[in-house]
Amino acid sequence: FRMFLGMNCEVGNVTDKAFSIFLTENPLSIFVELPTSDEDADGKDWGKLKYSNIYCGVIRGALEQVNMKVECDFVRDVLKGDDATEIRVELKEVLADGAGEDYHEE
């Protein structure tokens, strides 16, 4: 994360097919206040909003480039009052090589 996004993180809760990323700082949450979980006039519940969910998309997209299908989700978020931000990454499957026959070595 430091090399690509300029922020520190720690990895923990490692199992055979899953791990957690703990963000020590989150530049996306510096000037953000999430609305309360009360529904507005349109009936939308803004309390379910995952503001920093773009990190999950970045992780999922990067791992798909190396043929790994993962599920990524926020477990805890500082913006929701938790003491830390935790992203859980779970390996679902290793995808088959996507290169065509023209790209295989003989």
Side-chain angles (χ1 to χ4, degrees), residues 42 50-51 73 81 91 94:
D42 296 332
K50 296 180 182 177
Y51 186 79
D73 195 26
L91 177 66
V94 177

Side-chain angles (χ1 to χ4, degrees), residues 39-56:
E39 293 184 6
D40 64 1
D42 296 332
K44 296 178 183 174
D45 186 7
W46 295 103
K48 296 178 183 177
L49 179 67
K50 296 180 182 177
Y51 186 79
S52 301
N53 208 30
I54 191 164
Y55 294 137
C56 290

Side-chain angles (χ1 to χ4, degrees), residues 33-96:
E33 288 184 27
L34 291 180
T36 61
S37 62
D38 298 333
E39 293 184 6
D40 64 1
D42 296 332
K44 296 178 183 174
D45 186 7
W46 295 103
K48 296 178 183 177
L49 179 67
K50 296 180 182 177
Y51 186 79
S52 301
N53 208 30
I54 191 164
Y55 294 137
C56 290
V58 169
I59 293 167
R60 196 170 40 247
L63 290 175
E64 278 188 21
Q65 294 298 310
V66 292
N67 295 333
M68 291 185 204
K69 183 176 182 181
V70 299
E71 185 175 299
C72 186
D73 195 26
F74 272 86
V75 177
R76 298 185 294 164
D77 195 353
V78 174
L79 289 173
K80 297 199 179 216
D82 296 321
D83 57 342
T85 300
E86 178 182 354
I87 300 173
R88 186 76 178 160
V89 180
E90 183 178 348
L91 177 66
K92 291 299 180 185
E93 68 177 299
V94 177
L95 303 171

